[in-house]
Amino acid sequence: GGWTLFFKFFFWGIYFALVRIPINEIGWFLPQYTSGIVGVVMFYVIAVLTNNKDVIKKPKLAWLVVVTACLQVMGALFFNYAISKGQTAIVASIAGSSPAVFVVLAFLIFKEKINKKQWFGIVLALAGVICQAIFSA
């Protein structure tokens, strides 16, 4: 619920604020490489602790997990590269708009229903990111 969302925003905010330091010091690749390894170990430990064997029983699900993991790593690598080349505030807000883009893709691909308030929020969030990028350049 609400607390989960709060902690998500809190920890992502800390990550976005601090990731620029190692990127500036050692480059954009190594911080992602390290966090990717830690992330894989954490996911494995969580899967073992929760006794989740669905991935093993369903090969198509395992393939989807591999594809999404690769996309996640690619997105994070490009994020780190962008942080090394541009302003953190702009890059982080563009990356932060991914939930709005995800909702639109869910609408287009999975035929999810989106009401008028949700459309308004999506347009407002994306317009804010675009305006921030334009006016702070």
Side-chain angles (χ1 to χ4, degrees), residues 1-128:
W3 283 106
T4 307
L5 212 59
F6 171 77
F7 285 117
K8 172 191 166 191
F9 289 140
F10 181 74
F11 287 121
W12 274 116
I14 291 172
Y15 173 76
F16 286 140
L18 297 179
V19 73
R20 178 100 186 228
I21 297 166
I23 288 173
N24 284 341
E25 294 294 322
I26 58 176
W28 60 271
F29 179 75
L30 193 57
Q32 177 55 41
Y33 184 73
T34 305
S35 65
I37 291 172
V38 171
V40 168
V41 171
M42 285 177 60
F43 285 128
Y44 178 74
V45 168
I46 291 169
V48 168
L49 291 176
T50 59
N51 227 356
N52 192 344
K53 300 203 182 353
D54 288 339
V55 174
I56 297 168
K57 293 178 186 175
K58 300 176 182 176
K60 287 183 181 179
L61 183 60
W63 175 247
L64 187 59
V65 168
V66 169
V67 169
T68 55
C70 290
L71 290 171
Q72 175 71 26
V73 169
M74 287 173 35
L77 281 172
F78 280 111
F79 172 79
N80 287 350
Y81 179 72
I83 288 280
S84 72
K85 297 296 180 191
Q87 296 176 346
T88 305
I90 295 173
V91 174
S93 63
I94 291 170
S97 69
S98 64
V101 175
F102 173 75
V103 171
V104 172
L105 289 174
F107 169 75
L108 296 173
I109 296 171
F110 300 117
K111 308 298 183 225
E112 290 280 334
K113 294 186 191 298
I114 301 175
N115 64 35
K116 290 179 184 179
K117 288 180 185 178
Q118 291 168 323
W119 276 116
F120 179 73
I122 291 166
V123 169
L124 191 64
L126 295 178

